Amino acid sequence: NDNLKEEIQDFGVQSLHKCYESCKSVDHCVSFTVCNMNGSCKLHTVEAVSETKTNVSLEKGKKKKCRFGYFLRYGHCYKCSKRFCKRGNIRRCRLGKFLHNGNCYRCPANRYSLEGKCKRCPKGTTVGIGKGRWISSCKREKKCYSGYYLRNGNCEKCPKNSYSRGGKSEHCKRCPEGTTVGIGEGKSENSCKQQKKCYSGYFQYQRNCYKCPKNMYSWGGFSRVCRQCPKGTTVGRGKGKSKKSCKRGKRWKCSRGYYLSYGYCYRCPKNMYSSGGKSKHCKRCPKGKTVASGKGKSKNSCKRGKRLKCSRGYYLRYGYCYRCPKNMYSSGGKSKHCKQCPKGTTVASGKGKSKNSCKRGKRLKCSKGYYLSYGYCYRCPKNMYSSGGKSKHCKRCPKGKTVASGKG
């Protein structure tokens, strides 16, 4: 064999040795020969090696070797799966993973895989867990804003009651005891503010105090929830300072002209009356009789419409008094209609007591908290004020101050 001769010359061997006719182990064969499956020595060729590779004797404690495409485990050869590439008992893992004790694991953060091992990313670069498939996977470190921290290469908000100065910080620090800060709002330790104590009947939410809803109570302080009143008891909004604040409706009594509903007193509607106390309903006036809302204290409070007289600015209709619409006036009494103000004049609804009540818009003056627009007065919106008169605009309150609509 020419190839075999060249191989022998490379090792400096000048002549071939004859092999024995038969062999019982590898030791019976001379140099450059192997024992084949038939029990005889054969020249050391590629075919001979591949033929005897899986049939080497283990009598002298030599390790068993598996052919290509198989791997060794517990002394036996198993076929490789398609998921991994194996050569003998060596196993290769996918990119981004490393081999350990025959198993594949993801490379830690800031490391990439190379020849089955995990290498550290170059200085100033980073990569997530198992994301480092090549060195190019390592990207320059990301810097976060204050109130955020770096996690797996992404910026995330700091949890509640913690802060971070941002940058390359991978953790958020906890606020000192007794202080608090919202999610992602902790930019430094100074961002942690002293917890605000609330009054009784209030609860705390995002460092602000709010009134407890109806039929609920709270002791205040740092309480973040309001408790429900016991069944059958009630309390007003923000009035529940303790459990004792919840009162039973059956102990409440209403004035005459009012009725009791769920522990609260409500005035009777128009043309209805009530004797008060624990009465839960209002009674309707007899047919043809009428009474104002909340004025019906008894049946005698209901009067017949034909005897009823209306005040000035109101008109009578079907035994009831209704106020005149805008820009109309009435002298009251038994008048059944309202008269139109002269052209170019105006008056508010129910304010037209006579023709003289109708004023021209240019002469009209508004009360404080109201502004003039096209001859009519409108109240100022919330957080705005006006000195009245002929003022056509409302001014905004200074920063941090507030006022109800029409009260400025």
Side-chain angles (χ1 to χ4, degrees):
N1 194 322
D2 295 334
N3 293 332
L4 185 58
K5 288 181 180 180
E6 291 178 4
E7 184 181 353
I8 295 170
Q9 287 176 2
D10 290 339
F11 285 93
V13 180
Q14 300 297 330
S15 60
L16 289 171
H17 294 277
K18 295 181 181 179
C19 71
Y20 295 120
E21 294 180 357
S22 62
C23 60
K24 294 182 180 179
S25 68
V26 179
D27 295 341
H28 287 116
C29 294
V30 295
S31 299
F32 297 98
T33 60
V34 292
C35 188
N36 62 12
M37 297 179 66
N38 298 326
S40 60
C41 293
K42 195 172 183 181
L43 289 176
H44 190 299
T45 62
V46 177
E47 293 80 2
V49 173
S50 61
E51 186 178 353
T52 59
K53 201 165 187 179
T54 56
N55 294 280
V56 177
S57 175
L58 301 177
E59 291 179 2
K60 294 191 177 182
K62 292 185 179 181
K63 290 185 178 179
K64 184 178 180 180
K65 293 184 180 180
C66 299
R67 62 179 179 175
F68 180 72
Y70 289 77
F71 68 98
L72 182 65
R73 190 172 186 183
Y74 304 115
H76 299 281
C77 293
Y78 296 93
K79 192 174 182 179
C80 298
S81 63
K82 293 181 181 180
R83 187 176 177 184
F84 301 102
C85 299
K86 305 162 190 175
R87 190 173 185 86
N89 59 351
I90 299 175
R91 185 175 180 181
R92 295 183 194 174
C93 298
R94 287 183 174 182
L95 295 174
K97 298 184 179 182
F98 68 97
L99 184 68
H100 181 69
N101 293 335
N103 295 313
C104 290
Y105 300 92
R106 292 190 299 174
C107 285
N110 303 331
R111 293 176 181 268
Y112 66 96
S113 63
L114 181 66
E115 297 179 355
K117 296 181 180 179
C118 294
K119 302 286 185 179
R120 188 177 294 277
C121 284
K123 191 174 182 180
T125 60
T126 183
V127 72
I129 299 173
K131 302 291 185 181
R133 298 184 176 185
W134 303 279
I135 191 171
S136 59
S137 302
C138 301
K139 305 295 182 182
R140 289 207 170 272
E141 290 182 354
K142 190 175 182 179
K143 292 185 179 180
C144 299
Y145 294 108
S146 298
Y148 291 73
Y149 70 103
L150 196 63
R151 183 180 180 185
N152 294 336
N154 296 318
C155 292
E156 296 188 9
K157 289 182 179 180
C158 284
K160 191 176 181 181
N161 300 335
S162 61
Y163 66 93
S164 170
R165 298 185 182 274
K168 300 178 183 179
S169 179
E170 296 183 354
H171 302 282
C172 295
K173 297 180 181 179
R174 186 170 293 279
C175 285
E177 190 174 352
T179 60
T180 182
V181 70
I183 299 172
E185 296 178 3
K187 299 181 179 181
S188 65
E189 190 174 342
N190 295 332
S191 303
C192 303
K193 303 296 181 183
Q194 194 73 26
Q195 287 183 331
K196 185 179 179 180
K197 287 187 177 182
C198 298
Y199 295 109
S200 298
Y202 289 72
F203 68 99
Q204 193 179 80
Y205 178 70
Q206 292 184 351
R207 293 182 289 171
N208 293 320
C209 294
Y210 298 92
K211 287 183 179 180
C212 284
K214 187 178 175 181
N215 300 333
M216 299 189 81
Y217 67 93
S218 170
W219 292 288
F222 300 119
S223 179
R224 295 181 182 177
V225 293
C226 296
R227 299 174 183 271
Q228 187 73 38
C229 283
K231 191 175 181 180
T233 61
T234 184
V235 70
R237 181 172 175 265
K239 302 293 184 182
K241 299 181 179 181
S242 67
K243 193 174 182 179
K244 293 181 179 180
S245 302
C246 303
K247 304 294 183 182
R248 291 193 175 273
K250 66 181 182 181
R251 295 180 183 175
W252 287 21
K253 291 184 179 181
C254 297
S255 303
R256 291 196 299 170
Y258 289 74
Y259 68 100
L260 185 66
S261 178
Y262 297 102
Y264 293 93
C265 292
Y266 300 92
R267 61 182 177 180
C268 290
K270 195 174 182 180
N271 301 331
M272 299 188 80
Y273 66 94
S274 170
S275 58
K278 297 180 181 179
S279 178
K280 295 182 179 181
H281 303 282
C282 295
K283 297 179 180 179
R284 188 170 294 280
C285 285
K287 192 175 181 180
K289 293 186 178 183
T290 184
V291 69
S293 176
K295 300 295 184 180
K297 299 179 180 180
S298 66
K299 191 175 182 179
N300 296 330
S301 301
C302 302
K303 303 294 182 180
R304 288 199 175 273
K306 64 181 181 179
R307 297 177 183 174
L308 187 66
K309 290 183 180 182
C310 297
S311 303
R312 290 196 299 169
Y314 288 74
Y315 68 99
L316 185 66
R317 189 176 185 186
Y318 301 111
Y320 300 100
C321 290
Y322 299 92
R323 59 183 177 181
C324 289
K326 196 174 184 180
N327 300 332
M328 299 188 80
Y329 67 93
S330 171
S331 57
K334 296 183 179 181
S335 177
K336 296 182 178 181
H337 302 283
C338 295
K339 296 180 181 180
Q340 186 72 38
C341 283
K343 190 175 181 180
T345 60
T346 182
V347 70
S349 176
K351 300 293 183 181
K353 299 179 181 180
S354 66
K355 191 175 181 179
N356 295 331
S357 302
C358 302
K359 304 291 183 181
R360 290 194 177 275
K362 62 181 180 180
R363 296 178 183 174
L364 187 64
K365 292 184 179 180
C366 299
S367 304
K368 290 182 179 181
Y370 288 74
Y371 67 100
L372 185 65
S373 178
Y374 298 103
Y376 299 99
C377 291
Y378 299 92
R379 60 181 178 182
C380 291
K382 189 177 179 182
N383 300 333
M384 299 189 80
Y385 67 94
S386 171
S387 57
K390 295 183 180 181
S391 178
K392 295 183 179 181
H393 303 283
C394 296
K395 298 179 180 180
R396 188 170 294 281
C397 290
K399 190 175 182 181
K401 294 185 178 181
T402 183
V403 69
S405 177
K407 300 294 183 181

